[in-house]
Each structure stands twice: as structure tokens, then as C-alpha cells.
Amino acid sequence: METSMAIRDRFSKKLNCPQCGNSGFAEASEIDDPKRKHPDFKVDQLPRGFGVQRPSNHQESFMLKCECGRKFPFRSLAEAAAERR
């Protein structure tokens, strides 16, 4: 019997703090399998000045904290940054 490892989807997102303007790129990954209940979302690297406020298996509820004290979900600001082309 052969077991297959789940493939991790790796991506970069630009983060911008709406309060102080701190910005940078975060490196993140999650398991690329729509049948999984939890995508095992992880932030592998954060830019200087950002930290993890509350980890989560999902981008939508993974909370970041800027050094200025502003807290925000990873996905909310990352998506807003991606839409500006």
C-alpha cells in the first residue's frame, strides 16, 4: 500500500498595516486538498514588525499583530493588497 503526502501550496502575500503603514511580504502555506476539513494553514515567515496574535488552521481566522498594536486577520489585508494591481 502506498501512502501519498499532501502537497503544500506555498504563496507570498503583501501585508499592510492600516494604522501605521508598516508593510512587507509574508510567506505562507496550506495543504492543497479540498477534501480536508482543515487546510493546516501556516505562516512560515513574517516581515519585520509583524507577529502572530492567534494561530489558526484557516487564513480567515489567523490573526496577526503589528508592532504598533493593530490586530487584523491575515486574509483581510493580504487580499486587499493583492487586488491593487
Side-chain angles (χ1 to χ4, degrees):
M1 184 164 99
E2 192 177 313
T3 57
S4 61
M5 292 284 296
I7 296 172
R8 291 195 71 80
D9 183 21
R10 299 184 186 281
F11 51 94
S12 296
K13 294 280 186 177
K14 184 167 185 186
L15 303 177
N16 287 304
C17 177
Q19 186 166 302
C20 73
N22 187 20
S23 67
F25 285 90
E27 302 296 325
S29 62
E30 62 188 5
I31 293 176
D32 188 18
D33 183 353
K35 293 177 279 202
R36 283 183 60 104
K37 186 175 182 179
H38 299 292
D40 191 30
F41 175 77
K42 290 186 181 357
V43 174
D44 304 313
Q45 185 176 358
L46 282 171
R48 200 171 112 201
F50 291 97
V52 175
Q53 173 70 20
R54 186 182 71 223
S56 172
N57 281 321
H58 300 277
Q59 287 187 55
E60 295 80 6
S61 50
F62 194 103
M63 297 294 291
L64 297 176
K65 183 177 182 180
C66 181
E67 62 189 356
C68 73
R70 177 73 181 248
K71 299 170 190 146
F72 52 89
F74 176 86
R75 189 163 190 149
S76 68
L77 295 182
E79 282 186 338
E83 290 169 7
R84 281 191 267 129
R85 291 182 187 192

